[in-house]
Amino acid sequence: MIWTNTVAASLTRAAREHGAREAIIIGADRLTHAQVLDAARRYARSLAGHGIRAGDHVGILMPNCLEYLLLFYGCALIGARPVHFNARYKRDELRYVIADSDVTLLFTSALQRQFTDFSALLTDLYPALRTWRAGEPLRLD
């Protein structure tokens, strides 16, 4: 038997072989291998629903958390390329890496607001976000 060494294949294989065993423990969050695969599939469907396809770059600007992992695995399941932005980047660093990343979609979080307000930082970088409404097309330079 030949194993395909991809994140998606490893995740699927782990769920099949170790489904009921815990895979992720982060604080109070505990997920089995099967639960991780199920959650990753939900993220993958959501990404696909937003038009993300294999090869698309998906930006992740989040602190280390469960959602970060599940989004990463969701990208893997549909063949999207996660682009990991360091949550400690400052304004100019973030401007540079976003401009150079070719992301189609950027995910962020309010989880680290006591240290960094990602929403405020991104709005400062891209003033068009101030008036943008969810559901409307958004194109940023």
Side-chain angles (χ1 to χ4, degrees), residues 90-101:
K90 301 299 181 213
R91 185 179 191 276
D92 291 338
E93 296 165 319
L94 192 56
R95 178 192 310 275
Y96 175 79
V97 296
I98 288 175
D100 198 47
S101 68

Side-chain angles (χ1 to χ4, degrees), residues 34-115:
Q35 290 170 324
V36 171
L37 180 59
D38 288 343
R41 286 178 173 155
R42 285 192 300 275
Y43 274 75
R45 284 191 298 271
S46 180
L47 288 164
H50 282 83
I52 299 299
R53 302 290 176 247
D56 286 347
H57 295 182
V58 175
I60 306 174
L61 176 61
M62 301 171 81
N64 293 334
C65 60
L66 181 59
E67 290 75 18
Y68 187 111
L69 288 170
L70 297 175
L71 180 55
F72 169 78
Y73 287 136
C75 286
L77 289 174
I78 63 170
R81 297 177 179 173
V83 179
H84 307 276
F85 295 117
N86 188 327
R88 294 183 179 179
Y89 280 154
K90 301 299 181 213
R91 185 179 191 276
D92 291 338
E93 296 165 319
L94 192 56
R95 178 192 310 275
Y96 175 79
V97 296
I98 288 175
D100 198 47
S101 68
D102 193 31
V103 294
T104 303
L105 194 60
L106 174 64
F107 283 86
T108 191
S109 169
L111 290 176
Q112 197 172 357
R113 192 163 283 172
Q114 72 265 25
F115 302 110

Side-chain angles (χ1 to χ4, degrees), residues 107-129:
F107 283 86
T108 191
S109 169
L111 290 176
Q112 197 172 357
R113 192 163 283 172
Q114 72 265 25
F115 302 110
T116 303
D117 185 340
F118 296 128
S119 178
L121 181 60
L122 290 168
T123 302
D124 183 44
L125 288 173
Y126 303 101
L129 290 172

Side-chain angles (χ1 to χ4, degrees), residues 7-20:
V7 171
S10 296
L11 180 64
T12 303
R13 187 171 54 251
R16 183 178 58 249
E17 294 176 7
H18 310 288

